[in-house]
Amino acid sequence: MAVHTAVRQTSAAAPSDTTRTQPLLSRLGGLWFVLPFVIVYALFMVWPVLTGLWSSFFNTSLAGGDSEFLGLDNYLEMVRDDAVWTSLWHTILFTLLSTPPLVLLGLVMALLAHRARRLGWFLRFAYFAPFVLPVTVVTLIWIWLYQPGFGLINDALTRIGLSEVAWLTDERVAMIAIVLTTTWWTVGFNFLLYLAALQAIPRELYEAASVDGSSSFQQLWHITLPMLRRTTGLIIVLQLIASLKVFDQVYLMTGGGPNFSTRPIIQYIYETGFTSYRIGFASAISYMLFALIVVVSIAQFKLFPAREESAS
Amino acid sequence: MRPTHTPYGLSRRSLLAGTAGIVAGIGLSACTADDLIGNRTRVRYWNLFGGGDGARMTQMTDAFIESRPDIDFRATTLAWGAPYYTKLAMSAAGGRAPELAILHLSRLGGYAPGRLLDPFPLDMLAELGITQDRFLPDIWNRCTVDGELYAIPLDTHPFVLYYNVDICREIGLLDSNDQLIPLSGTDELIEAFVEARRVTGNLGVSLSTGDVSPWRLWWTLYRQLDGELFDESGTELILDEERGLEALEFMRRLSIEEEVAPRGADYQAAVANFSNGQAAFLFNGGWEVTTFQTQQVPFSMTTFPNVFGNTNRTQGDCHCFVLPHQRNRDWDNTRAALEYVAYMLQNSVDWAAGGHVPSYLPVVESPEYLNLTPQSHYRHAAENVQLDPDVWFSGSASDMESQASGAFGAVHAGTNTPQEALDQFRGALQRLLDTPSPV
Amino acid sequence: MTRLRAALGRTTFGGATLSLIGLLLALLWLVPLAWAVDTALKPEAETTVMPVSWIPSEFTLEAFRIILGQGDIIRWLFNSLLVASLVTILTLALTSLAAYGFSRTTFPGRRWLFAAVLAGIMVPPQVLIVPLFDEMRALGLVDTYWGMILPQLVAPAMVFILKKFFDGIPRDYEEAAELDGASRLRIFWSVVLPMSRPILAAVGIFTFISAWNNFLWPFIVITDPEMMTIPVGLYSVQGSFGVRYAQTMAAALIAGLPLVILYAILQRHVIRGVGQAGLKG
């Protein structure tokens, strides 16, 4: 489309110089554009960030009553509380286990769908459709699939001679079961990102390589993959940050069990704050997690800078 | 060159239509579900009856609704357990709680009576025939905090033994009245389960290793052994190591050594395994009566076996009605809610058909109730039911129960030895004790 | 052989085998949904028979009838639609206005404010559930639609994406309109927005999907079952009693299929949208 090529070729210009000579009031006119968003942002992001920090120094309770100032006691308790660190570990474990398949499978799917003609629509539909489902639907279906005996997966396993697996009730496999479900659910997004990137690789590169006599595999290795490096970086970054925030599917599938073996840190925050009423303590844990995510985000943006690369 | 129209036709008409839509949406969203309803007396009622008794509750509630067209009565069933209690607490904290809710009596202490719960108006209750003398004194006392009444008991529900009549007949465990012969002691029980497994080809006894069932089983066994958890003041842990281990060792024997019970089964699977004949026995609360009757399972029920002595001691709890805290209480709605409570109590023989033992003495002593089978078979267990110890962090679906069930469920699974499980539980209990009470 | 290859698509990576693999993988990927549909259409008693079979004695719509008869799910669909629509419209409005403001206007503190907004991208909403609930409680917004909607309007990433897009639009059109005497708002509305339709569609679609599927925040702020959105209602309310897998699957399908169908129809736009976001990001 014409507009898009125009977008690609012009560079961003500074705001028009004429505005600098205008009187202050009309210069403030720009403020009206950003104000609605900024107000909402201040009220529902900045303010809770501040009050959360504030209540982490008190023993505020959900059940009301007076709150006493505790100084750093909540933070000290958090450091000594094993459950904080084990649940943080579960979140990290989930991240480590889920990121490789989500990235690799997304790439494989994109490679498969990229070249397909008549099948293309069908492949794009099948791979991405799970992503539009709400988490509750996904977990209801997969809990049903994972059942022992009459569950489809265990049935398939026994038919080919393997023994059943207690997917959601055995500590050793529960996290893997959750990772599998998450992969099915969300790989479609990475698939689409890779697909778009693949379609942006100029065909001439491949044609030139074919003329030179290189095989498909060589082309994959020497052209495609390097061209996808930036997208891969982006996907890994997004995937890591999203995984650190995991809560929904774990809570819905195992409730953090069996025997708390899958409980992620966000669930522990939820339980301390709302089930055990300890809002102050839960805020302290939230802040620790927040700081961690900020550190990870900054580190990643330094490692994978989000810049446009020229296609050369 | 100025574009005289947008390429995509953003005409004035569509702009107006869009704005109207937004305004309507904003107007709608400014109200809540309540404001849309109107001016009838309104009662919202929350409960957590998702098992077989849920069907019974719905039936009785529907009958009430039909008989009282002047009340806009809405009953909702939320998922049992911590989600229910957390949601109820959060809604009470938010001030827009439902008029009436169900609470387990064991949770009352930890539910901040006075802040998350409002007291019942005794005069209104008396007008409706709900007075102290119509309930067992122990239970009524536990419903009272600081001289105010915060809960009205509906029923007691002990942990019981379900058995498949056909299979038990086949292995010769029924007496001349077609009832299960009393089994006592660990060996006799295991023997019966092994025989049962021979017939079913899968399990002897079905049980759940998830949710809070492991706690229930363990607490039953531990109390049969006369074990205690806390001292009188509720501040010191006096968990009896030997007895705790003995109870856990029996649970381990069932699942790991004798393999008559599952190693891993969630609640749904536990119920399904009994109803489809994969197991001849089931350890559970008495509320699945309706489920099995509907599925036409040939079953009966009896008190939990005397495994370690003190036959009638089983874990159990009471369901009560409570008034969650509301910022602006409407007394007409409250009165209507109480009328529902009175209705439920007076008709609790129907409720008993769903498996629970009614708390309302006039009903418990009535011939109608005494003729109900198999429900009346275990009614005596209700007299000596073992509620959770009275501390703020205990009670049905509490943190303590999920800590216990996590640790003890792992004994069934084989991933915790009894010693490890008990140590894990002891640690959890101590931590709970050391946490300052948020209520 | 070459004709076959041509029919199956371009063959840079060895077409026929890969197409087959792709097809098999796609079919595998659809199995969970297919099984859910199959289960929902079975009579309840046959859902747990062993060995497992795809063909029951009869197919029936009984499970759907029961679920729809319970009324809750219709109410939740309505709530989801209302909330997701409002979140999408308001987010598009607020973020596009703000992005335009940051891109085209200048006012004291502009850079500082933009940096502050960007910083918000790093704040995960999950970390704020506790103080946000407290705030809603203080404002009396627990169990209200606005309580659900407002926090979801905080979308600094969208402001970033839109600003980048606006930055790249040539100013000629706007300057021409300015010379004609149009106000800034009018320029925004009549000139810039129409040219941004693809990116706005992308932002809109993703905001809608994410608002529709949002579980955690509605789960926290809504306790009244009548106010719940689909994901929360499905989880929190036990409409059926005992072990009822056909009904559970029927409810899941009623909740999930609308968006799947919408995706099938809008596939082209969704894919283009993700591509845009990815390439620009």
Side-chain angles (χ1 to χ4, degrees), chain B residues 270-433:
Chain B
V271 171
N273 280 332
F274 181 74
S275 61
N276 61 17
Q278 297 290 312
F281 293 92
L282 171 66
F283 290 155
N284 201 1
W287 46 75
E288 294 292 355
V289 175
T290 315
T291 308
F292 300 140
Q293 282 170 343
T294 316
Q295 299 189 12
Q296 297 180 316
V297 180
F299 80 106
S300 187
M301 300 153 78
T302 182
T303 53
F304 193 83
N306 174 13
V307 182
F308 293 119
N310 287 308
T311 321
N312 280 349
R313 281 214 192 145
T314 53
Q315 183 273 345
D317 211 332
C318 298
H319 292 124
C320 306
F321 291 107
V322 292
L323 296 178
H325 175 63
Q326 288 183 333
R327 275 187 204 168
N328 303 309
R329 179 169 287 284
D330 181 317
W331 288 101
D332 286 332
N333 291 346
T334 306
R335 196 197 166 89
L338 295 182
E339 285 166 9
Y340 172 75
V341 171
Y343 172 88
M344 289 299 291
L345 288 174
Q346 281 148 10
N347 291 300
S348 47
V349 67
D350 291 336
W351 181 235
H356 302 292
V357 180
S359 302
Y360 196 52
L361 291 177
V363 168
V364 175
E365 292 156 2
S366 70
E368 277 175 277
Y369 172 69
L370 294 170
N371 282 332
L372 272 183
T373 53
Q375 289 84 337
S376 41
H377 291 166
Y378 52 85
R379 71 181 187 283
H380 292 298
E383 290 155 22
N384 204 2
V385 73
Q386 304 295 308
L387 260 65
D388 284 10
D390 198 1
V391 286
W392 67 267
F393 50 79
S394 75
S396 285
S398 63
D399 204 5
M400 183 190 83
E401 285 200 0
S402 40
Q403 290 288 338
S405 298
F408 301 159
V411 170
H412 282 295
T415 45
N416 258 352
T417 64
Q419 185 67 57
E420 286 167 351
L422 202 63
D423 290 338
Q424 184 182 336
F425 184 50
R426 181 189 293 279
L429 279 179
Q430 193 58 56
R431 223 170 327 131
L432 284 168
L433 270 178

Side-chain angles (χ1 to χ4, degrees), chain C residues 22-245:
Chain C
L23 182 60
L24 287 177
L25 186 59
L27 289 174
L28 181 69
W29 227 243
L30 287 177
V31 164
L33 274 176
W35 182 239
V37 173
D38 185 76
T39 306
L41 293 173
K42 286 182 180 167
E44 192 63 64
E46 297 186 28
T47 54
T48 57
V49 297
M50 290 163 60
V52 158
S53 117
W54 284 77
I55 316 283
S57 61
E58 52 156 1
F59 283 112
T60 165
L61 289 176
E62 186 62 24
F64 287 97
R65 242 197 304 273
I66 297 179
I67 293 292
L68 287 172
Q70 281 167 359
D72 293 334
I73 207 162
I74 306 284
R75 171 98 212 169
W76 298 331
L77 279 171
F78 169 75
N79 290 335
S80 279
L81 190 61
L82 180 64
V83 170
S85 305
L86 278 178
V87 169
T88 305
I89 295 172
L90 290 174
T91 300
L92 280 174
L94 292 179
T95 54
S96 59
L97 279 171
Y100 185 74
F102 284 123
S103 167
R104 291 296 199 252
T105 70
T106 169
F107 49 85
R110 182 177 61 100
R111 284 191 211 280
W112 177 91
L113 200 55
F114 186 58
V117 167
L118 279 197
I121 297 182
M122 281 194 303
V123 179
Q126 289 83 348
V127 151
L128 296 178
I129 53 178
V130 174
L132 260 180
F133 178 78
D134 228 9
E135 185 177 340
M136 290 301 160
R137 178 171 56 160
L139 292 172
L141 288 179
V142 173
D143 273 323
T144 62
Y145 288 114
W146 279 122
M148 262 194 283
I149 293 172
L150 288 170
Q152 296 190 61
L153 300 179
V154 176
M158 297 305 166
V159 174
F160 176 69
I161 290 178
L162 286 174
K163 174 182 182 294
K164 253 185 135 181
F165 184 85
F166 290 153
D167 284 346
I169 298 181
R171 290 157 189 274
D172 320 359
Y173 297 102
E174 298 163 72
E175 279 166 10
E178 213 176 336
L179 286 175
D180 280 343
S183 73
R184 200 90 62 110
L185 189 60
R186 184 163 183 88
I187 297 176
F188 171 71
W189 181 259
S190 315
V191 176
V192 178
L193 275 192
M195 292 203 297
S196 318
R197 211 182 93 136
I199 192 83
L200 289 176
V203 169
I205 289 175
F206 272 92
T207 306
F208 189 84
I209 293 181
S210 118
W212 183 277
N213 290 348
N214 194 350
F215 176 76
L216 183 57
W217 178 243
F219 177 62
I220 299 283
V221 80
I222 299 293
T223 56
D224 183 350
E226 306 220 331
M227 297 289 298
M228 288 177 178
T229 53
I230 280 267
V232 183
L234 259 192
Y235 167 70
S236 306
V237 179
Q238 301 281 52
S240 46
F241 303 109
V243 180
R244 301 286 159 95
Y245 287 113

Side-chain angles (χ1 to χ4, degrees), chain B residues 250-263 410-416:
Chain B
F250 180 64
M251 289 164 71
R252 182 191 156 80
R253 204 174 148 196
L254 284 174
S255 289
I256 308 286
E257 277 140 43
E258 305 286 349
E259 292 185 314
V260 291
R263 292 192 183 199
V411 170
H412 282 295
T415 45
N416 258 352

Side-chain angles (χ1 to χ4, degrees), chain A residues 195-229:
Chain A
L195 191 65
L198 277 177
Q199 286 168 345
I201 301 178
R203 213 184 309 162
E204 297 84 49
L205 292 177
Y206 295 112
E207 286 168 5
S210 290
V211 163
D212 282 347
S214 60
S215 72
S216 316
F217 181 73
Q218 284 171 323
Q219 289 174 15
L220 174 68
W221 193 254
H222 292 291
I223 301 178
T224 316
L225 291 184
M227 293 295 293
L228 291 178
R229 198 175 295 148

Side-chain angles (χ1 to χ4, degrees), chain B residues 62-342:
Chain B
D62 286 345
F64 175 77
I65 293 177
E66 257 193 68
S67 73
R68 293 295 303 269
D70 56 315
I71 303 182
D72 179 19
F73 195 94
R74 284 159 203 252
T76 317
T77 306
L78 297 173
W80 194 97
Y84 174 78
Y85 281 107
T86 308
K87 278 265 165 274
L88 189 60
M90 287 167 76
S91 92
R96 283 174 193 257
E99 277 69 39
L100 190 68
I102 291 280
L103 199 89
H104 287 96
L105 186 53
S106 56
R107 292 298 295 261
L108 187 61
Y111 232 70
R115 273 184 275 133
L116 291 178
L117 297 177
D118 293 337
F120 278 94
L122 288 171
D123 43 355
M124 254 192 225
L125 287 179
E127 284 172 43
L128 296 165
I130 305 176
T131 49
Q132 184 168 354
D133 56 325
R134 300 201 173 167
F135 299 90
L136 289 175
D138 279 344
I139 296 194
W140 184 268
N141 285 337
R142 202 154 159 173
C143 294
T144 317
V145 178
D146 285 340
E148 304 247 35
L149 183 71
Y150 285 96
I152 298 178
L154 171 65
D155 67 53
T156 308
H157 46 279
F159 205 51
V160 297
L161 179 70
Y162 294 81
Y163 59 97
N164 185 312
V165 180
D166 290 347
I167 300 179
C168 288
R169 186 178 299 121
E170 199 182 311
I171 55 182
L173 284 179
L174 298 185
D175 65 12
S176 47
N177 291 331
D178 251 8
Q179 309 231 357
L180 190 69
I181 58 173
L183 300 166
S184 60
T186 55
D187 293 327
E188 219 174 87
L189 211 53
I190 300 270
E191 214 184 290
F193 293 154
V194 170
E195 280 299 300
R197 187 187 57 196
R198 205 181 34 84
V199 175
T200 67
N202 190 358
L203 296 169
V205 60
S206 175
L207 49 79
S208 163
T209 63
D211 67 287
V212 294
S213 299
W215 159 258
R216 293 182 177 143
L217 180 56
W218 182 83
W219 184 239
T220 300
L221 297 171
Y222 187 65
R223 291 298 297 143
Q224 284 191 0
L225 288 164
D226 270 328
E228 299 276 357
L229 277 187
F230 304 105
D231 67 342
E232 282 285 318
S233 65
T235 53
E236 225 185 279
L237 188 59
I238 51 175
L239 175 61
D240 188 322
E241 185 92 358
E242 214 181 287
R243 292 174 181 158
L245 284 178
E246 204 177 332
L248 286 175
E249 257 140 36
F250 180 64
M251 289 164 71
R252 182 191 156 80
R253 204 174 148 196
L254 284 174
S255 289
I256 308 286
E257 277 140 43
E258 305 286 349
E259 292 185 314
V260 291
R263 292 192 183 199
D266 65 15
Y267 183 80
Q268 307 270 50
V271 171
N273 280 332
F274 181 74
S275 61
N276 61 17
Q278 297 290 312
F281 293 92
L282 171 66
F283 290 155
N284 201 1
W287 46 75
E288 294 292 355
V289 175
T290 315
T291 308
F292 300 140
Q293 282 170 343
T294 316
Q295 299 189 12
Q296 297 180 316
V297 180
F299 80 106
S300 187
M301 300 153 78
T302 182
T303 53
F304 193 83
N306 174 13
V307 182
F308 293 119
N310 287 308
T311 321
N312 280 349
R313 281 214 192 145
T314 53
Q315 183 273 345
D317 211 332
C318 298
H319 292 124
C320 306
F321 291 107
V322 292
L323 296 178
H325 175 63
Q326 288 183 333
R327 275 187 204 168
N328 303 309
R329 179 169 287 284
D330 181 317
W331 288 101
D332 286 332
N333 291 346
T334 306
R335 196 197 166 89
L338 295 182
E339 285 166 9
Y340 172 75
V341 171

